[in-house]
């Protein structure tokens, strides 16, 4: 029988990998003051304001530069953040895969797999935190100054607001901090918890 901690850890591993990956692809990390544009790590959305356009008032979302290319991101800080946060999401997905695999392997190997997955998740959390701290360094780019105001600087987006995509990334990373800790207690049974 699987321990309750193992089940909680597996569920949390799947949840945080999904939250991290979902927030990574969202273009709503920073929102312009009049809600006509939003910017994420890899893509942007802009409301079409051309009155003669058939798409007037609709949002047009695309990768920076039209297709995904790390060099098309508005600043070097965002390139670093994209690499770190995206890499952390990949590592969290690997940890979630290992967590799910624990239900398919023998009880003798479960402890070593959970400890290994915990170390992978620990590295993922550190890398994602680094990516989240580096992201606001890109607020001094020409691109952000054009959309958020000339006074934008590192960690100050001036007129732009934090979007739900960035909040989701922070919450997902904060929840992911519990995974490496839980992975070391997955062999506890219900009687050990009382």
């Amino acid at each position: 029988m699987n321990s309750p901690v193992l089940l909680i850890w597996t569920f949390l591993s799947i949840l945080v990998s999904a939250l991290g990956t979902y927030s990574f692809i969202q273009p709503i990390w920073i929102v312009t003051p009049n809600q006509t544009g939003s910017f994420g790590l890899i893509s942007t959305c802009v409301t079409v304001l051309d009155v003669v356009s058939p798409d007037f008032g609709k949002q047009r979302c695309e990768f920076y530069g039209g297709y995904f290319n790390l060099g098309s991101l508005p600043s070097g800080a965002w390139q670093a953040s994209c690499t770190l946060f995206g890499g952390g999401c990949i590592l969290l997905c690997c940890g979630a895969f290992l967590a799910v695999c624990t239900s398919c392997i023998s009880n003798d190997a479960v402890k070593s797999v959970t400890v290994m997955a915990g170390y992978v998740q620990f590295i993922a959390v550190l890398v994602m935190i680094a990516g989240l701290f580096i992201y606001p360094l890109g607020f001094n780019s020409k691109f952000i100054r054009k959309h958020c105001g000339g006074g934008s600087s590192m960690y100050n987006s001036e007129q732009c607001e934090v979007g739900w995509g960035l909040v989701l990334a922070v919450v997902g990373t904060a929840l992911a901090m519990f995974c490496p800790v839980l992975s070391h207690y997955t062999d506890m049974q219900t009687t050990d918890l009382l």
Side-chain angles (χ1 to χ4, degrees):
M1 182 174 139
N2 289 335
S3 91
V5 177
L6 178 65
L7 296 175
I8 292 169
W9 171 70
T10 302
F11 173 74
L12 187 62
S13 296
I14 294 168
L15 177 71
V16 296
S17 65
L19 283 176
T21 305
Y22 184 72
S23 67
F24 177 73
I25 62 173
Q26 290 307 305
I28 308 175
W29 282 42
I30 299 294
V31 181
T32 58
N34 51 7
Q35 306 288 320
T36 59
S38 61
F39 317 106
L41 267 180
I42 60 174
S43 59
T44 180
C45 288
V46 179
T47 303
V48 178
L49 298 175
D50 184 9
V51 188
V52 295
S53 173
D55 294 334
F56 176 72
K58 295 180 183 174
Q59 285 232 328
R60 184 184 61 204
C61 299
E62 61 184 18
F63 291 117
Y64 294 105
Y67 59 94
F68 181 70
N69 178 3
L70 203 56
S72 299
L73 298 180
S75 73
W78 283 15
Q79 293 170 359
S81 181
C82 179
T83 303
L84 290 170
F85 194 82
C89 289
I90 290 170
L91 289 174
L92 278 183
C93 289
C94 292
F97 176 74
L98 289 172
V100 170
C101 286
T102 59
S103 64
C104 305
I105 60 176
S106 67
N107 287 340
D108 299 336
V110 168
K111 185 62 179 172
S112 60
V113 171
T114 57
V115 169
M116 181 178 62
Y119 287 126
V120 168
Q121 291 170 329
F122 178 72
I123 293 168
V125 168
L126 291 180
V127 169
M128 291 172 78
I129 289 171
L132 289 173
F133 274 118
I134 290 172
Y135 180 74
L137 297 177
F139 291 169
N140 66 345
S141 68
K142 292 177 186 176
F143 180 83
I144 291 296
R145 287 185 179 161
K146 174 184 170 188
H147 294 284
C148 297
S152 295
S153 61
M154 294 181 199
Y155 288 94
N156 177 16
S157 64
E158 190 160 311
Q159 298 171 1
C160 289
E161 300 171 357
V162 172
W164 62 264
L166 181 56
V167 173
L168 189 64
V170 170
V171 168
T173 304
L175 283 174
M177 289 181 198
F178 292 103
C179 287
V181 175
L182 286 174
S183 73
H184 289 284
Y185 297 102
T186 55
D187 57 347
M188 293 180 74
Q189 296 300 320
T190 308
T191 55
D192 297 335
L193 299 173
L194 297 176

